Amino acid sequence: MSDAALLPLQAASALIHSRRASSVDLVRACLDRISRLDRELGAFITLTGESALADAKRADTDLANGVDRGPLHGIPIALKDLYDTAGVRTTGGSRIFADRVPDRDSAVVEKLRAAGAVLLGKLNLHEWALGVTNQNPHFGPACNPWDTTRIPGGSSGGSAVAVVSGFCFFSPGSDTGGSIRIPASLCGVAGLKPTYGRVSLRGVIPLAWTLDHSGPLARTVGDLALALNAIAGHDPLDPASVDVPTEDYAAGIEVEDGAKGARVVLPTNVFFDEVDPEVDAAVREAARVLTSLGATVTEMPVPRPDLLAAQRVILLTDAAAYHRDHLRERAADIGADVLTRLRTGQTFTGVDYAQARRDRDELRREWLALLREHDVILSPTTVIAAPARDGQDAVAAAQRLTANTAPFNLTGLPAISIPCGFTQAGLPIGLQLAAGPWRERFLLRVARAYERATPWHERLPQS
């Protein structure tokens, strides 16, 4: 049954609902892999194995009594350690919050519990989510399962490691400059950043209020759709939440011609700057695959790339504002790289911030106009594969890793990363697809069409 932990969420759900396996079986399978592999990989900050087994037993009893909460009923999951969990510590990857135990679940956790999911614990991240290496000085590094000398990406690195390693079946992450899509790309899993405001941020430790997004990482596009069904929706208690109707995101994504008629933009500027040749070849081959599936791919520049620098100003200013008390009272307890970024955020003026917000609005207007004429922007998720964990190399790579993901935080547009190949060194390569606001279902359908036509999502790292 230990192999069951490596199944996609959809297949695991089918096992539970057909009674060929129980939730307890799946929890034990995940815990077995965690006990054998996580000492080397560093995915978990807090493991809640005993409570997970108790919750799994209740899930099995409920199902036997005719209480079925849906596709996630009895499914083992784990959370990026930014999501508040009642009675279980939520650290934000920080020494400052090392003993912080919330008394209330975040909105996403409330939804997942209602859907019957079983919580295995809290996952490693870059401190305060402010970085992409996941080399956490307080809780240890998370390591890439394809090559443990390399980073898994971040800040949701523990989530990507856990999903690809069979520690859980999906994990909610957060994405402010690429923190779902970057680890998805570097670890060879699927990751979705929905439209800004689609998933509640209530009870999620913020990085940048105006750029943060909550979304899932999972093995397949179909798994992402099931996860989004569970967590999406308006939350009147979250100021960032938008009251736009949700859809059944899993409905219709398995159609044979899911990419037919999709109007795809292959940018001739920005997104392929300084791209690694192996990444470039894999992504352009993905564009050819989509063309063979009936999509129309047009090479053209995206408008106003000069405005993209606004993202850095907004992110670091928001982060410095949230952490102003920590910077004043506990600066010595903040890791060196994160402290440097927060101090940089304190140097921007109100004029800088106002101009950045104006630039963002202008960029969004231009890109929305583009996406009225076209459906999808296609690019590499990251222009390089996973760099080495050596401190200076990893930190130096950070700007390159966020170059293609951050624009969709700035504009708030939905974007997905899915595997599209491997380097000669055996490292995953990610394909990014982005669409207009609230078009998550369409985006998932196109991504699933590509996934069905290619084998990359089926590959797993050697344990």
Side-chain angles (χ1 to χ4, degrees):
M1 182 54 68
S2 61
D3 289 347
L6 296 172
L7 292 172
L9 187 161
Q10 290 173 300
S13 181
L15 284 180
I16 289 177
H17 285 86
S18 66
R19 313 295 176 87
R20 289 176 289 163
S22 66
S23 177
V24 169
D25 291 334
L26 296 184
V27 168
R28 285 177 174 159
C30 290
L31 290 175
D32 174 66
R33 293 187 63 82
I34 293 165
S35 68
R36 289 189 288 111
L37 302 175
D38 197 43
R39 181 173 297 179
E40 184 177 14
L41 296 177
F44 277 87
I45 289 177
T46 302
L47 185 64
T48 56
E50 289 187 10
S51 63
L53 285 168
D55 290 344
K57 290 176 183 177
R58 282 191 289 271
D60 290 334
T61 299
D62 285 347
L63 200 59
N65 291 330
V67 179
D68 183 352
R69 293 182 173 83
L72 299 189
H73 187 110
I75 294 294
I77 68 165
L79 303 162
K80 183 178 183 177
D81 202 14
L82 287 178
Y83 288 83
D84 280 356
T85 41
V88 178
R89 69 172 179 166
T90 302
T91 72
S94 167
R95 177 184 299 168
I96 295 171
F97 277 8
D99 299 314
R100 175 180 177 269
V101 179
D103 57 11
R104 183 177 178 180
D105 285 333
S106 63
V108 163
V109 174
E110 289 174 355
K111 284 177 173 286
L112 290 172
R113 291 195 195 279
V118 174
L119 176 61
L120 288 170
K122 311 296 285 292
L123 296 167
N124 203 345
L125 67 154
H126 203 107
E127 183 182 7
W128 296 128
L130 187 49
V132 297
T133 68
N134 217 133
Q135 305 306 287
N136 190 301
H138 313 300
F139 297 99
C143 304
N144 195 309
W146 297 92
D147 179 347
T148 56
T149 68
R150 297 176 182 269
I151 68 168
S155 61
S156 308
S159 295
V161 171
V163 167
V164 78
S165 302
F167 296 170
C168 65
F169 290 92
F170 97 89
S171 176
S174 67
D175 193 312
T176 309
S179 288
I180 288 171
R181 290 158 292 151
I182 292 167
S185 176
L186 301 192
C187 291
V189 297
L192 174 68
K193 182 196 77 65
T195 308
Y196 183 76
R198 173 61 85 193
V199 178
S200 177
L201 294 168
R202 176 168 52 87
V204 183
I205 297 171
L207 172 54
W209 295 291
T210 54
L211 299 171
D212 290 347
H213 299 66
S214 173
L217 294 98
R219 289 282 305 283
T220 69
V221 174
D223 292 352
L224 293 180
L226 294 180
L228 187 60
N229 277 347
I231 65 177
H234 178 237
D235 179 2
L237 300 179
D238 173 19
S241 182
V242 180
D243 191 4
V244 172
T246 59
E247 303 178 76
D248 180 352
Y249 299 104
I253 69 169
E254 294 294 340
V255 294
E256 292 287 343
D257 58 351
K260 186 175 182 180
R263 301 167 298 174
V264 178
V265 171
L266 185 67
T268 56
N269 59 344
V270 185
F271 288 97
F272 287 85
D273 291 351
E274 300 181 12
V275 64
D276 178 89
E278 290 184 282
V279 173
D280 182 272
V283 172
R284 292 185 187 279
E285 174 59 25
R288 287 189 284 272
V289 170
L290 285 173
T291 300
S292 74
L293 295 173
T296 301
V297 177
T298 303
E299 295 193 33
M300 60 183 294
V302 294
R304 299 306 305 274
D306 57 301
L307 300 178
L308 291 172
Q311 197 267 352
R312 181 172 180 268
V313 176
I314 295 171
L315 190 157
L316 294 180
T317 305
D318 277 7
Y322 175 76
H323 290 288
R324 60 190 181 277
D325 291 341
H326 298 150
L327 287 167
R328 184 172 59 251
E329 300 166 5
R330 302 284 300 271
D333 291 324
I334 301 173
D337 66 316
V338 172
L339 181 60
T340 297
R341 295 186 188 106
L342 291 174
R343 292 295 193 203
T344 300
Q346 291 181 310
T347 67
F348 294 119
T349 67
V351 172
D352 296 330
Y353 191 71
Q355 185 62 58
R357 293 285 295 265
R358 175 64 177 177
D359 289 348
R360 178 182 67 177
D361 292 344
E362 183 69 15
L363 181 74
R364 180 177 168 83
R365 183 183 67 82
E366 295 274 1
W367 283 27
L368 288 177
L370 173 72
L371 288 168
R372 282 192 287 271
E373 301 296 326
H374 304 274
D375 297 310
V376 174
I377 299 172
L378 180 153
S379 73
T381 308
T382 59
V383 296
I384 55 174
R389 287 201 295 120
D390 174 80
Q392 290 307 309
D393 288 348
V395 172
Q399 187 170 354
R400 297 184 72 191
L401 289 173
T402 59
N404 286 359
T405 53
F408 299 106
N409 297 91
L410 187 61
T411 56
L413 300 173
I416 190 172
S417 179
I418 52 176
C420 71
F422 287 79
T423 67
Q424 289 186 352
L427 300 173
I429 297 170
L431 169 69
Q432 180 173 241
L433 303 172
W438 319 115
R439 299 198 73 191
E440 288 88 0
R441 183 178 171 186
F442 170 82
L443 191 61
L444 288 162
R445 191 186 77 202
V446 174
R448 176 57 182 151
Y450 172 80
E451 186 179 73
R452 285 165 58 98
T454 56
W456 310 118
H457 64 289
E458 299 171 355
R459 291 180 62 169
L460 294 169
Q462 296 298 312
S463 299

